[in-house]
């Protein structure tokens, strides 16, 4: 696949000027490299979503039910009645264009339909035609158009070119949130069985096995046991994670990507090392194989599917009888936990307000939904001087930090990871202010778009992020990009290789794992990746 | 639709309004219609339409707590939260909304992206002109509206007189220059210019974007003409407007044609308002990404239609994987024999 991606010198030649023809009269061409494969029917069927069928986006016939227009029109009306956000966002846009060049996909493609305002107009135009008096009477004059098959295909193409990152919504004077519009548009497309496979199959996997990757319980344990061996090789200490243990005080849930693929695995080792370190201080924590997924690809499908997958967290916490839940580093996982979980599957009265058993800190900010972010937890530990950290073991890294979209714009987790980085590393450099914190740029692969067949889209969408990394790479010699998101850890390494070779990607807790001095450990000569620590090479 | 068509269509529409208004002013027999009936009807459409729209929004619930957080959350006691950008209490929300509504906070962030493909380098510059023009436009409009209350209130309340004095502080010539009218005209002109000059904004613009701009420019224009160029009988106008306000309308003679054009333009704007993007005036108060608190783990937000969905329970999961779990040494709730027993009972 990779050989089909244009070279970076070609890709950077981006024309941001719109074509001569108006957007309604410019047909959408579904282009290879920019879209993800269609959902496999068995995955759609497994979770009982409508119209599971085999289809190909590049073919004319998409295998739609005969009454598909009616299904969409009814589906849209139903959602207008259920979401005030949708109504307001359909009615209030003045097309000021402030959002236009805020979208990483627009910056990277120059395609005007990737301007958030126009992405929303794709749906808004149909809304006007069917639900507003002005649209019915005056049609195109007020930007209304009929729902036709090309319009539906255009929806599919462009609502799967939005990563629901919410950057545009920061700049919108009315707070119009394209993520919300995309989420609802995808719900509508799912009514016709038009999901992408990179979302539909993880959803089906997660429903069945508890995680997106379809890792079955025994294999999940095997993978963690493998990390235990790796950790022993590096530190000489054998950590002992436990699973599905009733009566534990805390349940730990992290995205399964951390268990499955590098460099997320090193972050998972970081968690294991931290938990081992705290065990003797009174930490009583367990992993679950049933709720073995922090992420939620259901949230890229429909609110109902998001609820179904998310329900396992509270259900498992209740079954095991824990007091509260600790969550690992992940992006959209935290959007769901922070803004949706309690509403969907709470109130979680069977749990207790989270208290850090080591420091006694009561997490006021999580008193209702009872779930704490691991960087909140670790930052609290460090602040109370509970961790013995040797920063010099991260001296080979010159770091910058990528704020993941959802923790920054759907939560506000900005200082906690930075605090940990500063306490575990000596060389930390921020990217330019317009590219971090609430203005952070997406990795280009969020919201289920991190497939292999749409690399061109991912590299184009990731350009603004990569460009900012390149800036600190050249200015400060940054060689490592830290993040708190599993999709980032999967998506950013190829992005860096493409735009900024020489920059690696790490989770924040990998840094913790490197720096944390364990009782009885041997002299560390390598980091968790097995790479030699300069100046600490094995003398033997 | 091509932008030229959009502009021409909007110009024709506003031109038609001007023609109709001119006819209304030129034919004395039509004065009651254009001076009384149409304005009152337009006002009724505006008020009822506005209420209808807001109610129709309010009818749909806010199922999820989806604030766009633009600053540090409230978490650990030693980390300073950003109360205005990530509100955690209702008062913080009031502050955030006030900043948004009164100072256009989000628009103030606006940047402009510049790509240098040679570097390659992408840079983001602070771009304030849209914010400046938008703020000037809206505050000038507000000032003009408030100042016009002098036509509908007897006696003229002191605050309006004060505003008049402030607005006219330049005191150049006779009649005294009133700043707001010029600012309104100028800012609307800039917004139109920007819409035409910036290629991407031009590309997204609809007739529904040009029409209100042309309409407002015409309103401001006819207002300026009446004040500085052609003479209209202010006393007679005030008699008419006070009559409208007291619902005892009378149409005095000698008002002048420009007034009827101006009034008809305003009537069209009022009647058009509730059915257009101008409803952002109401929408901004109700936008869920701005008017909700950001600390949604601290309080429980209720979704009135929280759906009943089928969940994949732990029991189902264990039933499928029990043997392998036991083999891997993972704890299970039921041993295979018990599970077979309970399956039989069912």
């Amino acid at each position: 696949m990779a050989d089909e991606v244009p070279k970076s010198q070609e890709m950077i030649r981006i024309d941001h000027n719109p074509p001569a023809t108006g957007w309604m009269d410019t047909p959408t061409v579904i282009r290879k490299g920019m879209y993800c494969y269609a959902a496999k029917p068995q995955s759609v069927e497994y979770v009982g979503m409508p119209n599971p069928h085999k289809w190909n986006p590049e073919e004319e016939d998409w295998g739609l039910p005969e009454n598909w227009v009616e299904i969409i029109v009814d589906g849209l009306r139903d959602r207008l009645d259920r979401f005030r956000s949708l109504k307001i966002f359909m009615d209030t846009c003045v097309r000021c264009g402030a959002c236009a060049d805020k979208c990483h996909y627009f910056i990277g493609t120059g395609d005007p339909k990737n301007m958030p305002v126009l992405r929303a107009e794709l749906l808004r135009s149909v809304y006007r035609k069917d639900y507003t008096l002005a649209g019915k009477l005056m049609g195109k004059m007020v930007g209304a158009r009929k729902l036709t098959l090309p319009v539906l295909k255009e929806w599919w193409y462009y609502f799967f070119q939005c990563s629901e990152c919410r950057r545009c919504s920061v700049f919108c004077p009315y707070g119009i949130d394209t993520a919300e519009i995309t989420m609802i548009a995808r719900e509508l497309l799912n009514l016709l069985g038009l999901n992408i496979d990179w979302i539909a199959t993880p959803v089906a996997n997660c429903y069945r096995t508890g995680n997106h990757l379809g890792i079955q319980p025994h294999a999940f344990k095997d993978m963690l046991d493998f990390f235990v061996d790796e950790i022993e090789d590096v530190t000489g200490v054998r950590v002992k994670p436990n699973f599905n243990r009733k009566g534990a005080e805390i349940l730990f849930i992290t995205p399964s990507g951390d268990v499955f693929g590098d460099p997320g695995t090193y972050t998972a080792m970081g968690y294991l090392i931290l938990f081992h370190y705290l065990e003797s201080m009174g930490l009583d924590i367990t992993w679950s194989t049933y709720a073995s997924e922090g992420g939620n690809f259901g949230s890229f499908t429909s609110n109902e599917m998001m609820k179904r997958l998310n329900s396992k967290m509270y259900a498992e916490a209740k079954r095991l009888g824990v007091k509260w839940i600790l969550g690992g580093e992940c992006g959209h996982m935290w959007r769901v936990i922070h803004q949706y979980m309690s509403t969907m599957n709470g109130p979680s009265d069977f749990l207790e307000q989270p208290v850090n058993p080591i420091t006694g800190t009561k997490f006021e900010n999580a008193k209702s939904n009872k779930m704490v972010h691991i960087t909140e937890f670790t930052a609290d530990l460090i602040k109370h001087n509970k961790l013995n950290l040797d920063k010099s073991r991260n001296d080979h890294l010159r770091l910058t930090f990528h704020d993941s979209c959802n923790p920054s714009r759907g939560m506000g987790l900005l200082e906690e990871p930075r605090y940990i980085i500063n306490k575990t590393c000596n060389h930390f450099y921020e990217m330019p202010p317009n590219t971090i914190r609430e203005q952070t740029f997406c990795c280009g692969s969020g919201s289920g778009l991190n497939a292999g067949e749409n690399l061109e889209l991912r590299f184009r969408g990731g350009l603004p992020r990569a460009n900012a990394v390149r800036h600190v790479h050249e200015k400060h010699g940054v060689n490592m990009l830290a993040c708190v998101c599993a999709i980032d850890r999967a998506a950013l390494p190829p992005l860096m290789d493409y735009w900024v070779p020489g920059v690696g990607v790490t989770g924040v807790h990998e840094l913790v794992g490197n720096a944390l001095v364990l009782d009885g450990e041997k002299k560390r000569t390598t980091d968790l990746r097995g790479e030699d620590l300069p100046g600490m090479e094995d003398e033997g | 639709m091509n932008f030229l068509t959009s502009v021409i269509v909007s110009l024709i529409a506003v031109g038609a309004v001007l023609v109709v208004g001119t006819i209304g002013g030129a034919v004395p027999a039509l004065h009651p219609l254009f001076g009384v009936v149409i304005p009152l009807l337009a006002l009724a459409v505006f008020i009822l339409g506005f209420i209808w729209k807001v109610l129709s929004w309010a009818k749909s619930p806010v199922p999820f707590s989806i604030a766009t957080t633009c600053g540090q959350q409230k978490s650990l006691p030693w980390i300073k939260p950003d109360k205005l950008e990530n509100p955690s209490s209702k008062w913080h929300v009031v502050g955030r909304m006030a900043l948004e509504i009164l100072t256009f906070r989000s628009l103030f962030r606006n940047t402009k992206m510049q790509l240098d493909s040679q570097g390659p380098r992408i840079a983001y510059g602070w771009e304030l002109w849209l914010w400046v023009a938008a703020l000037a436009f809206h505050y000038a409009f507000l000032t003009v509206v408030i100042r016009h209350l002098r036509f509908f209130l007897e006696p003229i309340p002191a605050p309006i007189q004060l505003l008049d004095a402030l607005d006219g502080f330049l005191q150049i010539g006779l009649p005294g220059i009133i700043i707001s009218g010029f600012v309104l005209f100028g800012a609307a002109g800039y917004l139109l210019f920007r819409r035409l000059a910036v290629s991407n904004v031009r590309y997204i613009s609809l007739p529904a974007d040009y029409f209100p701009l042309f309409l407002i420019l015409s309103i401001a224009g006819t207002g300026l003409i009446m004040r500085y160029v052609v003479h209209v009988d202010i006393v007679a106008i005030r008699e008419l407007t006070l009559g409208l306000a007291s619902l005892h309308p009378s149409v005095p003679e000698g008002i002048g044609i420009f007034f009827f054009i101006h009034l008809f333009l305003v009537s069209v704007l009022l009647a058009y308002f509730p059915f257009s993007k101008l409803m952002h005036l109401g929408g901004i108060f109700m936008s869920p990404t701005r008017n909700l608190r950001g600390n949604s783990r601290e309080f429980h937000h209720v979704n009135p239609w929280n759906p009943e969905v089928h969940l994949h329970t732990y029991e189902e999961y264990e039933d499928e994987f029990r043997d392998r779990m036991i083999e891997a040494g993972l704890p299970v709730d039921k041993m295979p024999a018990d599970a077979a027993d309970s399956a039989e009972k069912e």
Side-chain angles (χ1 to χ4, degrees):
Chain A
M1 203 72 235
D3 54 355
E4 288 172 29
V5 177
K7 295 228 174 334
S8 59
Q9 298 91 318
E10 281 169 51
M11 201 184 277
I12 194 70
R13 276 188 234 116
I14 304 160
D15 183 6
H16 288 97
N17 291 306
T21 48
W23 67 266
M24 280 194 203
D25 305 316
T26 309
T28 290
V29 181
I30 294 181
R31 196 159 69 74
K32 236 185 188 46
M34 301 295 282
Y35 72 86
C36 298
Y37 296 148
K40 290 192 190 85
Q42 54 271 38
S43 296
V44 177
E45 195 162 17
Y46 189 82
V47 290
M49 301 277 297
N51 197 28
H53 67 298
K54 213 170 141 54
W55 60 289
N56 178 350
E58 288 192 65
E59 281 169 11
E60 180 55 34
D61 183 5
W62 279 20
L64 302 177
E66 221 158 82
N67 61 338
W68 71 267
V69 174
E70 195 186 323
I71 293 174
I72 295 286
V73 169
D74 290 350
L76 183 53
R77 176 178 299 117
D78 173 43
R79 279 155 187 82
L80 287 164
D81 289 341
R82 281 192 289 146
F83 293 89
R84 183 180 303 166
S85 53
L86 180 62
K87 271 188 179 165
I88 303 243
F89 298 163
M90 289 295 103
D91 283 333
T92 52
C93 177
V94 300
R95 287 167 296 281
C96 72
C99 58
D101 59 359
K102 310 303 180 286
C103 173
H104 51 287
Y105 287 118
F106 176 65
I107 295 174
T109 63
D111 183 339
K113 286 173 190 165
N114 271 327
M115 292 192 279
V117 49
L118 210 40
R119 198 187 308 282
E121 290 283 310
L122 301 179
L123 180 63
R124 222 175 254 136
S125 52
V126 170
Y127 158 78
R128 290 195 192 103
K129 185 78 190 169
D130 287 326
Y131 305 98
T132 69
L133 187 64
K136 277 178 195 152
L137 295 177
M138 295 189 284
K140 270 192 170 185
M141 296 292 137
V142 291
R145 63 173 178 172
K146 238 181 101 180
L147 177 59
T148 60
L149 188 58
V151 169
L152 184 80
K153 291 184 175 184
E154 192 173 62
W155 282 7
W156 184 83
Y157 192 58
Y158 287 104
F159 287 119
F160 286 102
Q161 283 190 34
C162 166
S163 57
E164 306 179 359
C165 82
R166 310 186 99 198
R167 190 169 191 266
C168 50
S169 116
V170 169
F171 293 89
C172 176
Y174 316 115
I176 295 174
D177 180 10
T178 310
E180 184 80 353
I181 295 172
T182 294
M183 286 165 93
I184 289 169
R186 288 187 183 182
E187 281 195 12
L188 294 173
L189 292 163
N190 267 288
L191 296 177
L192 304 175
L194 300 179
N195 206 343
I196 60 172
D197 198 54
W198 196 259
I199 295 174
T201 295
V203 163
N205 282 340
C206 193
Y207 195 63
R208 174 167 172 243
T209 65
N211 58 72
H212 292 148
L213 298 159
I215 308 166
Q216 298 187 5
H218 52 293
F220 190 84
K221 180 173 179 292
D222 275 355
M223 285 167 155
L224 261 74
D225 283 346
F226 174 74
F227 300 157
V228 170
D229 293 339
E230 294 280 296
I231 291 167
E232 191 173 14
D233 282 351
V234 174
T235 66
V237 174
R238 193 152 184 89
V239 304
K240 297 179 202 68
N242 64 81
F243 302 88
N244 304 352
R245 180 165 56 86
K246 288 190 176 169
E249 184 183 352
I250 303 165
L251 168 64
F252 180 65
I253 302 174
T254 199
S256 62
D258 285 350
V259 179
F260 183 74
D262 297 345
T265 48
Y266 308 116
T267 304
M269 290 184 211
Y271 303 144
L272 289 169
I273 291 171
L274 177 68
F275 297 159
H276 177 85
Y277 181 95
L278 298 172
E279 213 175 76
S280 62
M281 302 164 79
L283 184 75
D284 179 14
I285 197 163
T286 191
W287 297 63
S288 165
T289 60
Y290 168 67
S292 49
E293 180 59 68
N296 191 325
F297 274 33
S299 68
F300 310 140
T301 304
S302 71
N303 72 82
E304 289 87 359
M305 203 62 237
M306 161 164 59
K307 178 178 175 177
R308 291 167 77 183
L309 299 187
N310 174 260
S311 68
K312 295 188 184 187
M313 293 193 183
Y314 279 153
E316 185 69 339
K318 194 172 189 177
R319 184 182 77 87
L320 298 177
V322 301
K323 289 184 181 162
W324 56 278
I325 312 172
L326 183 66
E329 297 179 15
C330 181
H332 72 276
M333 158 182 175
W334 276 96
R335 173 100 206 273
V336 174
I337 290 168
H338 189 72
Q339 300 200 318
Y340 294 89
M341 176 158 84
S342 187
T343 299
M344 294 186 301
N345 292 309
S348 48
D349 298 332
F350 49 90
L351 298 173
E352 292 174 18
Q353 177 177 340
V355 176
N356 187 329
I358 322 293
T359 64
T361 300
K362 286 184 181 164
F363 293 98
E364 282 293 324
N365 62 324
K367 74 175 174 200
S368 167
N369 97 333
K370 282 97 172 175
M371 190 146 176
V372 173
H373 193 286
I374 188 139
T375 63
E376 296 168 342
F377 179 71
T378 303
D380 178 54
L381 291 167
I382 297 175
K383 182 75 181 176
H384 286 85
N385 286 318
K386 298 294 181 190
L387 302 186
N388 181 7
L389 297 163
D390 179 358
K391 281 172 122 177
S392 71
R393 296 205 296 226
N394 284 316
D395 272 354
H396 57 309
L397 306 177
R398 300 176 75 80
L399 285 136
T400 191
F401 180 66
H402 160 68
D403 289 276
S404 304
C405 309
N406 286 295
S408 56
R409 289 182 284 260
M411 185 177 181
L413 183 95
L414 306 175
E415 293 301 337
E416 296 85 345
R418 285 178 169 78
Y419 181 77
I420 298 173
I421 291 171
N422 276 315
K423 294 290 178 182
T424 52
C425 307
N426 284 311
H427 311 293
F428 173 55
Y429 307 92
E430 291 275 17
M431 286 180 273
N434 288 124
T435 69
I436 55 170
R437 296 177 183 265
E438 77 280 3
Q439 296 198 23
T440 189
F441 276 108
C442 176
C443 60
S445 307
S447 82
L449 303 182
N450 51 328
E453 62 270 22
N454 64 335
L455 274 181
E456 181 178 345
L457 174 75
R458 291 174 50 190
F459 291 163
R460 286 185 179 279
L463 169 63
R465 168 43 71 227
N467 176 71
V469 175
R470 176 200 283 268
H471 178 76
V472 284
H473 175 63
E474 287 170 357
K475 194 172 169 192
H476 302 293
V478 162
N479 60 10
M480 191 56 85
L481 176 58
C483 59
V484 282
C485 169
I487 289 182
D488 281 333
R489 287 190 282 274
L492 288 172
L495 185 78
M496 292 299 110
D497 289 347
Y498 185 83
W499 290 113
V500 204
V503 177
V505 177
T506 180
V508 168
H509 276 77
E510 180 183 341
L511 304 169
V512 174
N514 277 333
L516 199 56
V517 182
L518 297 171
D519 271 350
E521 69 172 26
K522 66 176 190 185
K523 185 188 171 199
R524 293 204 202 178
T525 54
T526 69
D527 61 12
L528 289 174
R529 301 186 180 203
E531 286 166 14
D532 287 337
L533 292 176
M536 310 250 196
E537 287 87 356
D538 216 336
E539 284 133 22
Chain B
M1 186 174 296
N2 168 306
F3 94 94
L4 211 57
T5 327
S6 297
V7 173
I8 291 170
V9 164
S10 313
L11 276 175
I12 291 172
V14 176
V17 174
L18 284 167
V19 169
V20 173
T22 310
I23 294 169
V27 181
L30 293 175
H31 285 185
L33 180 63
F34 280 78
V36 177
V37 178
I38 290 175
L40 285 179
L41 274 179
L43 186 67
V45 170
F46 172 75
I47 294 172
L48 294 176
F50 200 104
I51 294 172
W52 162 78
K53 194 81 216 180
V54 168
L55 287 181
S56 92
W57 288 333
K59 213 169 71 184
S60 296
V62 180
F64 302 111
S65 182
I66 56 164
T68 304
T69 59
C70 299
Q72 173 60 38
Q73 65 168 348
K74 175 189 163 196
S75 66
L76 297 163
W78 46 274
I79 295 177
K80 193 168 173 282
D82 193 336
K83 292 174 182 167
L84 289 172
E85 304 289 8
N86 194 345
S88 56
S89 79
K90 290 198 169 144
W91 284 110
H92 301 165
V93 169
V94 170
R96 184 184 208 193
M97 293 300 289
L99 271 184
E100 204 62 81
I101 292 162
L102 300 176
T103 72
F104 304 176
R105 172 48 192 122
S106 292
L107 207 53
F108 186 67
R109 288 192 184 95
N110 195 25
T111 57
K112 188 173 160 51
M113 180 269 307
Q114 269 166 328
L115 170 73
D116 167 14
S117 54
Q118 293 308 312
R121 185 170 177 271
I122 307 172
Y124 312 91
W126 203 15
E127 161 57 49
L128 266 191
W129 288 111
L130 175 60
W131 177 79
V132 169
L135 211 58
F137 173 81
H138 285 86
Y139 273 101
F141 208 131
L142 180 67
T143 309
V144 168
V145 167
I146 293 174
R147 278 188 45 243
H148 275 67
L149 290 178
R150 63 187 1 262
F151 289 102
F152 301 96
L153 299 168
E154 178 66 41
I156 298 165
I160 294 178
Q161 297 201 32
L162 179 69
L163 184 69
D164 264 2
L166 287 173
D167 205 358
F169 84 100
L170 282 182
Q171 302 207 338
I172 302 168
L174 266 176
I177 298 280
I178 301 244
I179 302 162
S180 54
F182 288 99
V183 174
L184 176 62
F185 193 83
Y190 173 80
L191 292 175
L192 176 63
F193 164 76
R194 179 181 169 276
R195 205 169 265 293
L196 292 168
V198 181
S199 64
N200 285 313
V201 183
R202 188 171 67 225
Y203 195 66
I204 56 174
S205 294
L206 299 166
D209 298 309
Y210 295 112
F211 176 73
L213 274 175
F214 289 139
L215 201 59
I216 289 165
L217 280 168
S218 307
I219 290 169
T222 49
L224 292 173
I225 288 171
M226 277 190 287
R227 183 164 177 98
Y228 303 107
V229 186
V230 299
H231 174 75
V232 286
D233 187 343
I234 291 287
V235 178
I237 289 175
R238 197 147 184 272
E239 191 185 326
L240 185 147
T241 51
L242 282 173
L244 284 176
S246 60
L247 294 177
H248 291 292
S250 67
V251 185
E253 280 174 32
I255 287 180
I257 200 163
F258 268 95
F259 172 74
F260 284 98
I261 301 174
H262 187 70
L263 188 59
F264 187 60
L265 286 163
V266 172
S267 302
V268 171
L269 182 70
L270 283 173
Y272 175 75
F273 200 105
F275 310 100
S276 71
K277 69 169 192 176
L278 304 179
M279 276 308 289
H280 65 265
L281 169 62
I284 192 170
F285 288 88
M286 295 173 76
S287 181
T289 59
R290 293 291 186 270
N291 69 11
L292 292 168
R293 287 170 289 172
N295 58 335
S296 30
R297 276 182 292 154
E298 194 174 342
F299 65 92
H300 178 72
H301 181 96
V302 176
N303 174 3
W305 51 262
N306 195 14
E308 286 291 326
V309 291
H310 185 74
L311 311 171
H312 189 67
T313 62
Y314 176 80
E315 288 70 29
E316 292 170 284
Y317 170 87
E318 193 185 293
D319 283 346
E320 183 174 355
F321 297 113
R322 183 170 296 110
D323 294 343
R324 275 167 280 185
M325 289 173 79
I326 293 169
E327 206 174 307
L330 293 167
V332 289
D333 280 359
K334 290 179 192 164
M335 288 313 281
D338 305 337
D341 270 4
S342 56
E344 257 170 46
K345 274 174 207 159
E346 279 165 23

